[in-house]
Amino acid sequence: MGTALMTWPRNDRVTEPESPRNDMSVMSTAMVTASYGPGGTQDAHVRRLRDLLRSAILRDGFPAGQLPGEPELMTSYGVTRAVVREALALLRREGLIDRRQGVGTHVVVHAVLARLAEAHGAADPRVDSVFNRRLRPRVLDRSTIPLPAIAAERLGAPPGVPCLRLEYVALLDEEPTALATNYVLFPEAERLLALPFDTDWYALLRDAGIGLGESEFVVGCAPADATNAPLLDVAEGAPLITIEQVIRDATGRAFDLAHIHTRGDRFLFVSRAVREHASGI
Amino acid sequence: MGTALMTWPRNDRVTEPESPRNDMSVMSTAMVTASYGPGGTQDAHVRRLRDLLRSAILRDGFPAGQLPGEPELMTSYGVTRAVVREALALLRREGLIDRRQGVGTHVVVHAVLARLAEAHGAADPRVDSVFNRRLRPRVLDRSTIPLPAIAAERLGAPPGVPCLRLEYVALLDEEPTALATNYVLFPEAERLLALPFDTDWYALLRDAGIGLGESEFVVGCAPADATNAPLLDVAEGAPLITIEQVIRDATGRAFDLAHIHTRGDRFLFVSRAVREHASGI
C-alpha cells in the first residue's frame, strides 16, 4: 500500500471519506450526506473534527489565526455542513474561536507550549521559554504559618512546624495563566522571604541560591469555581489543569509543596519520552 | 528556627493559625472567627483547604475513604465552620465526595495514579500498573480512511494516504476512563488490523511487534460535551485531561497520532524530573 493516496474507502468498514485528495475537492452532495456507518454517528464526526481543529488552534496552526471556511472544511474532512457547524459551535463554547458573519472564524486564544521539564524546574529554560523570567507574579499571600496536616504528610515534615505560604497568580503578558499556593519549609523559606519575588518561581529559587534536586508532579484537572475563577479571569466551570508539585533538594529532602491551577487555554505541557530498549521489530 | 513546632503566628503578616499543634486541639472561638487578614479572604481559605483535601482524596489519603468531621477539620486547619462547609460543598460538586447526615463525609472516587512514562508507553509497566493489561477497550471505530489534513501535518505524512482510525473507550474495572481516537499509518496499521484489540494500546503494539521509539504528549484540558460525555459517563462540562500523542518508531518516523480525553477523577499522571546539575547551594 505504501504511501499511495487513498481515493476511496478501502473496505466495507468505511462509509464516509473524511479527507479526500485534492482533486476530489468538489464532492457530490450524495457523498457528503451519506448515512453514518461504522465510522460513527454524527456526534462522532463532530467530536473528531473538533479534536483535530482544537489541536491546530492551540498549536497556532492556522495562518493569521483564520480557520478555513465551512465549504473547505466540509471538503477537507468529508463531512456535512451540520458536522462542521456543530464542531465550530463547540470550539466557540470552549472560548477558543470566534465566528463573525462576513469575517469568518478566527482563533481568539494564544496558548503557550511549555516543556514539561522546564515546568518542573529541572531543565534550564530556553531563551524563548515562558520560564525564562517572562512571568510576573501577583502575590496574594506571603505569610509564615504552621504547616497544615496534609501538606506535612506530602513533605514528610511534622504538622505545625513553621512554613512560608507563598501564593500568587502567574501573569504572562499581564494575563493570568496560573494560580499557585506554595508551602515552603525553613530554612529555604527564610531565604525566599529575604528576596523580592518579581518573576517566575524557579528564578526566585535560583536567585535565593536554593538548589532544586527533583520535582514531582501529580497532574489532573478540575473545574474553576468561585474561589479561583475570578483570579484566573475565567468563567466558573472552565477546565483547569491541576498540578500538585513536591520539590526536593539535592539530598532528597522535600521542602516545597505547591498546589497549582493552570488555565487550559493558556498553557499546554509538552512531554517527550524516549524508549531506551525499543520492543518489537 | 529548625523544626520547632510553631505555636503562634510568627510575625504580623499572620492573623490566623491554620494547623495548630495537637495540644491546641481545643481552639477558642475567638481564634477561629478571627477576621481575615493578609492570609486572604474567606474564599482563599476555602480554596486552600479544598486543594489540600482534594489532593488527599485523589491520593487515597483518608483511611476507609472517611474524611474527618467538621470540628476536626476546623481545628486542624484553623478555619471557621463556614470555610469547612464551603470547601466540602465544592468537593461534592466536583463529584469527589458525598456527605450524609449522621454518616459523615466519604470519598466516592477512586483515582489511579499512572506514571507518565508508562502512559507514554516508553517504560515497561510495573506489575500493578494500569498499563499492564488491566484496561479493556470498547472499540467505537476501526476503519481505514484517508488521513485527515491536520493529522497529516502532525505525522509529517501526505494528507489522503490511507490510515487506520482506531477509536475506543478504555475501561478500567468496566468503568470508562479515557476516550482515544488513533490515526495509524501503514504498514503498522496492517499489523494492528490483523490482531484482536482486547487490552491496552501498548500491549496491542507489542503484540503486533510494533516498536515504539518515542512518544510526545501535548497535555491540556477541556470540558466534556455532548460528543464525549456519554461515552465517558460524565456530565457535560466535567473537566477532562486532553492528550495529543504522536508515536514515532525507532527511526523517528511518526506513525500514530492520538487524541485522548481522560477523566480527571479517574486518572492522575505522576511525572518526576531530576535536575542533573543542581544549581545554587
Side-chain angles (χ1 to χ4, degrees):
Chain A
M1 199 151 230
T3 58
L5 291 185
M6 189 174 186
T7 55
W8 194 253
R10 186 171 158 269
N11 60 33
D12 61 2
R13 276 185 291 238
V14 182
T15 56
E16 189 184 14
E18 292 226 337
S19 177
R21 50 193 288 188
N22 290 340
D23 61 4
M24 288 174 64
S25 58
V26 183
M27 296 179 71
S28 73
T29 306
M31 285 172 64
V32 173
T33 58
S35 66
Y36 297 102
T41 60
Q42 170 156 334
D43 264 5
H45 290 283
V46 169
R47 173 164 44 76
R48 291 172 198 142
L49 178 58
R50 187 266 318 275
D51 287 347
L52 288 163
L53 293 174
R54 186 201 277 141
S55 151
I57 288 167
L58 292 174
R59 298 179 64 85
D60 211 6
F62 293 110
Q66 194 76 19
L67 268 69
E70 290 182 7
E72 188 178 337
L73 290 172
M74 291 165 65
T75 307
S76 291
Y77 295 92
V79 291
T80 62
R81 186 177 294 270
V83 166
V84 168
R85 289 195 169 164
E86 184 55 24
L88 295 175
L90 291 174
L91 292 166
R92 181 161 58 172
R93 221 170 296 157
E94 272 188 54
L96 304 183
I97 60 171
D98 197 11
R99 306 197 71 194
R100 293 206 193 149
Q101 196 76 33
V103 178
T105 305
H106 59 276
V107 176
V108 294
V109 290
H110 179 65
V112 168
L113 294 180
R115 288 197 302 150
L116 193 65
E118 288 183 7
H120 269 295
D124 287 324
R126 293 179 182 164
V127 171
D128 62 345
S129 165
V130 70
F131 292 101
N132 191 17
R133 299 183 186 266
R134 285 178 56 201
L135 296 166
R136 193 177 69 79
R138 184 158 70 81
V139 175
L140 304 176
D141 184 50
R142 192 169 175 144
S143 313
T144 303
I145 60 158
L147 185 64
I150 293 171
E153 194 203 314
R154 293 291 283 134
L155 290 173
V161 299
C163 77
L164 167 65
R165 185 176 59 206
L166 211 169
E167 186 169 66
Y168 63 97
V169 176
L171 305 170
L172 178 64
D173 301 331
E174 297 306 306
E175 292 186 323
T177 59
L179 167 62
T181 309
N182 284 268
Y183 301 91
V184 186
L185 298 181
F186 285 80
E188 284 83 356
E190 196 73 55
R191 299 199 203 173
L192 297 186
L193 281 168
L195 285 179
F197 179 27
D198 50 20
T199 169
D200 63 78
W201 186 253
Y202 302 119
L204 177 64
L205 292 185
R206 284 194 303 273
D207 292 349
I210 297 173
L212 182 153
E214 186 184 318
S215 161
E216 180 187 290
F217 279 177
V218 179
V219 179
C221 60
D225 59 34
T227 70
N228 50 27
L231 295 169
L232 287 167
D233 197 17
V234 294
E236 288 187 35
L240 303 173
I241 295 179
T242 60
I243 301 175
E244 182 179 61
Q245 180 179 29
V246 173
I247 299 181
R248 298 171 186 279
D249 66 18
T251 72
R253 172 183 152 273
F255 67 87
D256 181 22
L257 169 72
H259 288 135
I260 306 166
H261 285 76
T262 300
R263 280 182 59 161
D265 58 343
R266 289 275 166 82
F267 250 102
L268 295 170
F269 295 96
V270 179
S271 163
R272 280 198 187 80
V274 176
R275 185 158 183 93
E276 287 183 15
H277 310 287
S279 63
I281 301 192
Chain B
M1 196 152 233
T3 57
L5 291 185
M6 189 172 183
T7 55
W8 195 251
R10 184 168 160 272
N11 59 33
D12 62 0
R13 275 185 293 239
V14 183
T15 55
E16 189 185 12
E18 291 226 336
S19 177
R21 50 191 290 186
N22 290 338
D23 60 5
M24 287 175 65
S25 57
V26 183
M27 296 180 71
S28 72
T29 305
M31 285 172 65
V32 172
T33 57
S35 66
Y36 296 103
T41 60
Q42 170 155 334
D43 264 6
H45 289 284
V46 168
R47 173 164 45 76
R48 291 172 198 143
L49 178 58
R50 187 267 318 278
D51 287 347
L52 287 163
L53 293 174
R54 186 202 277 140
S55 151
I57 288 167
L58 292 174
R59 299 179 64 86
D60 211 6
F62 293 111
Q66 194 76 21
L67 268 69
E70 289 181 7
E72 189 178 337
L73 289 171
M74 291 165 63
T75 308
S76 293
Y77 295 91
V79 291
T80 62
R81 186 177 293 270
V83 166
V84 168
R85 288 196 169 163
E86 185 54 24
L88 295 175
L90 291 173
L91 292 166
R92 181 161 59 173
R93 220 170 296 157
E94 273 189 55
L96 303 183
I97 60 172
D98 198 10
R99 306 197 71 195
R100 291 203 195 153
Q101 195 75 33
V103 178
T105 306
H106 59 278
V107 176
V108 294
V109 291
H110 180 65
V112 168
L113 294 180
R115 287 197 302 151
L116 192 65
E118 289 183 7
H120 268 295
D124 288 324
R126 292 179 182 164
V127 172
D128 62 345
S129 166
V130 71
F131 292 100
N132 190 19
R133 298 182 188 267
R134 285 177 58 200
L135 295 166
R136 194 177 69 77
R138 184 157 70 81
V139 175
L140 304 176
D141 185 50
R142 193 169 174 142
S143 313
T144 303
I145 61 158
L147 185 64
I150 293 171
E153 194 203 313
R154 291 291 283 136
L155 291 173
V161 298
C163 76
L164 168 65
R165 184 176 61 205
L166 211 167
E167 185 169 68
Y168 63 97
V169 177
L171 305 170
L172 178 64
D173 301 332
E174 298 306 306
E175 292 186 323
T177 58
L179 167 63
T181 308
N182 284 268
Y183 301 91
V184 186
L185 297 181
F186 285 79
E188 285 83 355
E190 196 73 54
R191 299 199 203 174
L192 297 186
L193 281 167
L195 286 179
F197 179 27
D198 49 20
T199 170
D200 63 78
W201 185 253
Y202 302 118
L204 177 65
L205 292 185
R206 285 194 303 274
D207 292 349
I210 297 172
L212 182 153
E214 185 184 317
S215 162
E216 179 186 290
F217 280 176
V218 179
V219 179
C221 61
D225 59 34
T227 70
N228 51 26
L231 295 169
L232 287 168
D233 197 16
V234 294
E236 288 186 35
L240 303 173
I241 296 178
T242 59
I243 300 175
E244 182 177 62
Q245 180 180 29
V246 173
I247 298 181
R248 298 171 187 279
D249 67 17
T251 71
R253 172 184 153 272
F255 66 87
D256 181 22
L257 170 71
H259 288 135
I260 306 166
H261 284 77
T262 300
R263 280 182 59 160
D265 58 343
R266 288 276 165 83
F267 250 101
L268 295 171
F269 296 96
V270 180
S271 163
R272 279 199 188 81
V274 176
R275 184 157 184 93
E276 287 181 17
H277 310 286
S279 64
I281 301 192

Short mmCIF file of all heavy atoms in Angstrom, two decimals, chain B residues 57-91:
data_model
loop_
_atom_site.label_atom_id
_atom_site.label_comp_id
_atom_site.label_asym_id
_atom_site.label_seq_id
_atom_site.Cartn_x
_atom_site.Cartn_y
_atom_site.Cartn_z
N ILE B 57 -7.76 13.27 48.89
CA ILE B 57 -8.85 12.41 48.36
C ILE B 57 -8.35 11.61 47.16
O ILE B 57 -8.52 10.40 47.10
CB ILE B 57 -10.05 13.28 47.94
CG1 ILE B 57 -10.77 13.84 49.17
CG2 ILE B 57 -11.01 12.50 47.05
CD1 ILE B 57 -11.76 14.95 48.87
N LEU B 58 -7.71 12.29 46.22
CA LEU B 58 -7.31 11.62 44.98
C LEU B 58 -6.13 10.68 45.21
O LEU B 58 -5.92 9.75 44.44
CB LEU B 58 -6.98 12.66 43.90
CG LEU B 58 -8.19 13.46 43.40
CD1 LEU B 58 -7.75 14.56 42.45
CD2 LEU B 58 -9.20 12.54 42.70
N ARG B 59 -5.39 10.91 46.27
CA ARG B 59 -4.27 10.03 46.57
C ARG B 59 -4.66 8.95 47.56
O ARG B 59 -3.81 8.27 48.11
CB ARG B 59 -3.10 10.83 47.14
CG ARG B 59 -2.56 11.87 46.19
CD ARG B 59 -1.42 12.61 46.85
NE ARG B 59 -0.32 11.71 47.10
CZ ARG B 59 0.62 11.43 46.23
NH1 ARG B 59 0.59 11.99 45.05
NH2 ARG B 59 1.58 10.59 46.52
N ASP B 60 -5.97 8.81 47.81
CA ASP B 60 -6.44 7.76 48.70
C ASP B 60 -5.87 7.96 50.11
O ASP B 60 -5.51 6.99 50.78
CB ASP B 60 -6.00 6.39 48.13
CG ASP B 60 -7.00 5.30 48.48
OD1 ASP B 60 -8.05 5.63 49.06
OD2 ASP B 60 -6.71 4.13 48.19
N GLY B 61 -5.84 9.20 50.54
CA GLY B 61 -5.15 9.53 51.79
C GLY B 61 -6.00 9.47 53.04
O GLY B 61 -5.49 9.69 54.14
N PHE B 62 -7.30 9.17 52.90
CA PHE B 62 -8.14 9.09 54.10
C PHE B 62 -8.48 7.63 54.39
O PHE B 62 -9.03 6.94 53.53
CB PHE B 62 -9.42 9.91 53.91
CG PHE B 62 -9.17 11.40 53.83
CD1 PHE B 62 -9.36 12.08 52.64
CD2 PHE B 62 -8.73 12.10 54.95
CE1 PHE B 62 -9.11 13.44 52.55
CE2 PHE B 62 -8.48 13.47 54.87
CZ PHE B 62 -8.67 14.13 53.68
N PRO B 63 -8.16 7.17 55.59
CA PRO B 63 -8.43 5.77 55.93
C PRO B 63 -9.91 5.44 55.70
O PRO B 63 -10.78 6.18 56.14
CB PRO B 63 -8.07 5.69 57.42
CG PRO B 63 -7.14 6.82 57.66
CD PRO B 63 -7.54 7.90 56.70
N ALA B 64 -10.15 4.33 54.99
CA ALA B 64 -11.51 3.88 54.67
C ALA B 64 -12.31 4.93 53.91
O ALA B 64 -13.53 4.88 53.87
CB ALA B 64 -12.25 3.45 55.93
N GLY B 65 -11.61 5.89 53.30
CA GLY B 65 -12.29 6.90 52.50
C GLY B 65 -13.15 7.85 53.32
O GLY B 65 -14.00 8.55 52.78
N GLN B 66 -12.92 7.88 54.61
CA GLN B 66 -13.74 8.71 55.50
C GLN B 66 -12.99 10.00 55.83
O GLN B 66 -11.87 9.96 56.37
CB GLN B 66 -14.03 7.93 56.79
CG GLN B 66 -15.13 8.51 57.65
CD GLN B 66 -16.52 8.22 57.10
OE1 GLN B 66 -16.69 7.30 56.31
NE2 GLN B 66 -17.50 9.02 57.49
N LEU B 67 -13.59 11.14 55.53
CA LEU B 67 -12.96 12.42 55.89
C LEU B 67 -13.23 12.72 57.35
O LEU B 67 -14.24 12.29 57.92
CB LEU B 67 -13.51 13.56 55.02
CG LEU B 67 -12.72 13.86 53.73
CD1 LEU B 67 -12.89 12.74 52.75
CD2 LEU B 67 -13.18 15.18 53.12
N PRO B 68 -12.33 13.50 57.97
CA PRO B 68 -12.57 13.92 59.35
C PRO B 68 -13.86 14.74 59.43
O PRO B 68 -14.29 15.32 58.42
CB PRO B 68 -11.36 14.80 59.67
CG PRO B 68 -10.31 14.44 58.67
CD PRO B 68 -11.07 14.01 57.44
N GLY B 69 -14.45 14.80 60.60
CA GLY B 69 -15.65 15.61 60.79
C GLY B 69 -15.35 17.10 60.77
O GLY B 69 -14.18 17.51 60.81
N GLU B 70 -16.39 17.88 60.70
CA GLU B 70 -16.22 19.33 60.62
C GLU B 70 -15.40 19.91 61.78
O GLU B 70 -14.50 20.72 61.56
CB GLU B 70 -17.58 20.03 60.53
CG GLU B 70 -18.27 19.81 59.19
CD GLU B 70 -19.62 20.55 59.13
OE1 GLU B 70 -19.93 21.31 60.05
OE2 GLU B 70 -20.34 20.35 58.13
N PRO B 71 -15.70 19.48 63.03
CA PRO B 71 -14.93 20.08 64.14
C PRO B 71 -13.43 19.78 64.02
O PRO B 71 -12.60 20.66 64.26
CB PRO B 71 -15.52 19.39 65.38
CG PRO B 71 -16.88 18.92 64.96
CD PRO B 71 -16.75 18.57 63.51
N GLU B 72 -13.11 18.55 63.59
CA GLU B 72 -11.70 18.20 63.46
C GLU B 72 -11.02 19.01 62.36
O GLU B 72 -9.88 19.47 62.50
CB GLU B 72 -11.55 16.70 63.19
CG GLU B 72 -10.10 16.23 63.27
CD GLU B 72 -9.94 14.74 63.04
OE1 GLU B 72 -10.92 13.99 63.26
OE2 GLU B 72 -8.83 14.33 62.62
N LEU B 73 -11.74 19.20 61.25
CA LEU B 73 -11.17 20.00 60.16
C LEU B 73 -10.98 21.45 60.59
O LEU B 73 -9.96 22.08 60.27
CB LEU B 73 -12.05 19.91 58.90
CG LEU B 73 -12.03 18.55 58.19
CD1 LEU B 73 -13.09 18.49 57.09
CD2 LEU B 73 -10.65 18.24 57.61
N MET B 74 -11.97 21.97 61.32
CA MET B 74 -11.85 23.35 61.82
C MET B 74 -10.61 23.49 62.69
O MET B 74 -9.85 24.46 62.57
CB MET B 74 -13.09 23.72 62.65
CG MET B 74 -14.37 23.85 61.84
SD MET B 74 -15.85 23.85 62.90
CE MET B 74 -15.59 25.35 63.87
N THR B 75 -10.41 22.51 63.55
CA THR B 75 -9.27 22.56 64.46
C THR B 75 -7.96 22.37 63.72
O THR B 75 -7.01 23.14 63.90
CB THR B 75 -9.40 21.45 65.52
OG1 THR B 75 -10.70 21.55 66.12
CG2 THR B 75 -8.33 21.57 66.58
N SER B 76 -7.92 21.35 62.86
CA SER B 76 -6.67 21.04 62.18
C SER B 76 -6.20 22.16 61.28
O SER B 76 -5.00 22.38 61.10
CB SER B 76 -6.81 19.77 61.32
OG SER B 76 -7.00 18.64 62.13
N TYR B 77 -7.14 22.85 60.64
CA TYR B 77 -6.75 23.86 59.67
C TYR B 77 -6.99 25.29 60.17
O TYR B 77 -6.76 26.23 59.44
CB TYR B 77 -7.43 23.60 58.32
CG TYR B 77 -6.90 22.29 57.75
CD1 TYR B 77 -7.55 21.08 58.02
CD2 TYR B 77 -5.70 22.25 57.07
CE1 TYR B 77 -7.03 19.88 57.59
CE2 TYR B 77 -5.18 21.06 56.63
CZ TYR B 77 -5.84 19.87 56.89
OH TYR B 77 -5.31 18.69 56.48
N GLY B 78 -7.49 25.37 61.41
CA GLY B 78 -7.65 26.71 61.99
C GLY B 78 -8.59 27.59 61.21
O GLY B 78 -8.34 28.77 60.99
N VAL B 79 -9.67 26.99 60.72
CA VAL B 79 -10.62 27.76 59.91
C VAL B 79 -12.02 27.66 60.51
O VAL B 79 -12.27 26.82 61.38
CB VAL B 79 -10.65 27.27 58.45
CG1 VAL B 79 -9.34 27.60 57.74
CG2 VAL B 79 -10.92 25.77 58.37
N THR B 80 -12.89 28.49 60.05
CA THR B 80 -14.25 28.51 60.58
C THR B 80 -15.07 27.36 60.01
O THR B 80 -14.70 26.74 59.00
CB THR B 80 -14.96 29.82 60.19
OG1 THR B 80 -15.05 29.87 58.76
CG2 THR B 80 -14.18 31.04 60.70
N ARG B 81 -16.21 27.12 60.65
CA ARG B 81 -17.11 26.09 60.15
C ARG B 81 -17.60 26.43 58.74
O ARG B 81 -17.74 25.56 57.88
CB ARG B 81 -18.32 25.94 61.10
CG ARG B 81 -19.24 24.78 60.74
CD ARG B 81 -20.38 24.63 61.74
NE ARG B 81 -19.91 24.23 63.07
CZ ARG B 81 -19.79 22.96 63.47
NH1 ARG B 81 -20.10 21.97 62.65
NH2 ARG B 81 -19.37 22.68 64.69
N ALA B 82 -17.80 27.72 58.49
CA ALA B 82 -18.27 28.14 57.17
C ALA B 82 -17.24 27.78 56.09
O ALA B 82 -17.60 27.34 55.00
CB ALA B 82 -18.54 29.65 57.16
N VAL B 83 -15.97 27.95 56.42
CA VAL B 83 -14.91 27.60 55.45
C VAL B 83 -14.90 26.10 55.19
O VAL B 83 -14.84 25.64 54.05
CB VAL B 83 -13.52 28.08 55.97
CG1 VAL B 83 -12.39 27.43 55.16
CG2 VAL B 83 -13.42 29.60 55.88
N VAL B 84 -14.99 25.31 56.25
CA VAL B 84 -15.01 23.85 56.10
C VAL B 84 -16.20 23.43 55.24
O VAL B 84 -16.05 22.65 54.30
CB VAL B 84 -15.09 23.16 57.48
CG1 VAL B 84 -15.40 21.68 57.31
CG2 VAL B 84 -13.77 23.34 58.23
N ARG B 85 -17.36 23.97 55.55
CA ARG B 85 -18.56 23.55 54.82
C ARG B 85 -18.49 23.93 53.35
O ARG B 85 -18.90 23.17 52.48
CB ARG B 85 -19.80 24.18 55.47
CG ARG B 85 -20.10 23.54 56.79
CD ARG B 85 -21.50 23.86 57.26
NE ARG B 85 -21.84 23.02 58.40
CZ ARG B 85 -22.83 23.26 59.23
NH1 ARG B 85 -23.61 24.33 59.05
NH2 ARG B 85 -23.07 22.44 60.23
N GLU B 86 -17.95 25.12 53.07
CA GLU B 86 -17.88 25.55 51.68
C GLU B 86 -16.86 24.70 50.91
O GLU B 86 -17.09 24.32 49.77
CB GLU B 86 -17.53 27.04 51.61
CG GLU B 86 -17.53 27.63 50.22
CD GLU B 86 -18.83 27.43 49.43
OE1 GLU B 86 -19.89 27.23 50.06
OE2 GLU B 86 -18.76 27.43 48.18
N ALA B 87 -15.73 24.39 51.55
CA ALA B 87 -14.73 23.55 50.88
C ALA B 87 -15.32 22.17 50.56
O ALA B 87 -15.13 21.63 49.47
CB ALA B 87 -13.48 23.42 51.75
N LEU B 88 -16.05 21.61 51.52
CA LEU B 88 -16.65 20.30 51.29
C LEU B 88 -17.75 20.38 50.22
O LEU B 88 -17.92 19.46 49.41
CB LEU B 88 -17.21 19.73 52.60
CG LEU B 88 -16.15 19.42 53.68
CD1 LEU B 88 -16.82 18.99 54.98
CD2 LEU B 88 -15.16 18.35 53.20
N ALA B 89 -18.48 21.48 50.22
CA ALA B 89 -19.52 21.66 49.20
C ALA B 89 -18.91 21.68 47.80
O ALA B 89 -19.45 21.09 46.85
CB ALA B 89 -20.31 22.94 49.46
N LEU B 90 -17.76 22.34 47.67
CA LEU B 90 -17.09 22.40 46.36
C LEU B 90 -16.62 21.02 45.94
O LEU B 90 -16.73 20.63 44.77
CB LEU B 90 -15.91 23.37 46.40
CG LEU B 90 -16.26 24.86 46.55
CD1 LEU B 90 -14.99 25.68 46.75
CD2 LEU B 90 -17.03 25.36 45.33
N LEU B 91 -16.07 20.26 46.86
CA LEU B 91 -15.58 18.92 46.54
C LEU B 91 -16.74 17.99 46.18
O LEU B 91 -16.61 17.10 45.34
CB LEU B 91 -14.78 18.35 47.71
CG LEU B 91 -13.45 19.08 47.97
CD1 LEU B 91 -12.89 18.71 49.34
CD2 LEU B 91 -12.44 18.74 46.88
#
